[in-house]
Amino acid sequence: AAQVYLALCAAGMAVAAPQLNFGGPRSVSTARGVVTSNINKEQVISNVVSALQPSIAKAVADALAGLQTSSFTNSLSSSAAAAAAERAAFEAELASDVAVTAKPIYNFEYKVADNEAQTYITQSENRDGDSLTGMYSYVNPDGALITVNYEAGPMGFS
């Protein structure tokens, strides 16, 4: 891609070169003084195009070869992606046919007591299948202990 970009830049310069205004004699300052020379625009353009033409031809050929290789690689990766997608769809369908047989059972509890920040929190929860009971409490900014008990199951939430 970089070679193609360079080739296109060089070709653009070669095309734009006749439009550049070299404006007659140019002066160059050197340690020995000012040197003045006449620049022949047509000769410069001819020299640049002649010098760059082999490089441009090689860059274009390399880019075309790279496109053919990348399109082959892309077609392989596309078919691999399609196969992976088909496999994932099959596995998802297979998994959806399996009934849930696991019964969730867990118990947890945590407590936070930070005297410096005046933060006091606790929570505990128990689950056995569809039945869930829990409690959480905290100390509010006024210093009152707030406690909430909750229950959930097939009949709803309280």
Side-chain angles (χ1 to χ4, degrees):
Q3 290 176 339
V4 170
Y5 177 75
L6 290 174
L8 291 175
C9 287
M13 288 295 288
V15 169
Q19 299 168 4
L20 296 176
N21 183 10
F22 289 101
R26 297 282 181 199
S27 299
V28 178
S29 298
T30 65
R32 295 183 185 164
V34 176
V35 176
T36 304
S37 65
N38 287 328
I39 298 175
N40 184 343
K41 291 189 285 187
E42 287 75 25
Q43 186 61 41
V44 170
I45 294 168
S46 176
N47 289 345
V48 169
V49 170
S50 296
L52 292 177
Q53 192 169 6
S55 300
I56 293 170
K58 183 179 181 332
V60 169
D62 290 346
L64 290 173
L67 286 175
Q68 290 171 352
T69 302
S70 68
S71 65
F72 176 72
T73 304
N74 287 342
S75 67
L76 285 179
S77 63
S78 296
S79 55
E86 185 178 346
R87 180 183 175 104
F90 172 75
E91 289 174 353
E93 182 182 342
L94 194 63
S96 69
D97 290 342
V98 178
V100 177
T101 58
K103 179 180 174 183
I105 299 174
Y106 65 83
N107 299 313
F108 78 86
E109 181 176 316
Y110 72 87
K111 296 178 182 181
V112 175
D114 185 345
N115 290 329
E116 188 175 312
Q118 296 291 301
T119 303
Y120 305 98
I121 304 169
T122 182
Q123 182 179 3
S124 63
E125 188 171 282
N126 301 310
R127 182 170 181 182
D128 186 4
D130 291 335
S131 298
L132 176 101
T133 58
M135 181 275 305
Y136 67 90
S137 63
Y138 62 94
V139 176
N140 74 7
D142 295 330
L145 176 65
I146 308 296
T147 301
V148 177
N149 293 303
Y150 57 92
E151 220 176 291
M155 301 307 286
F157 178 80
S158 65

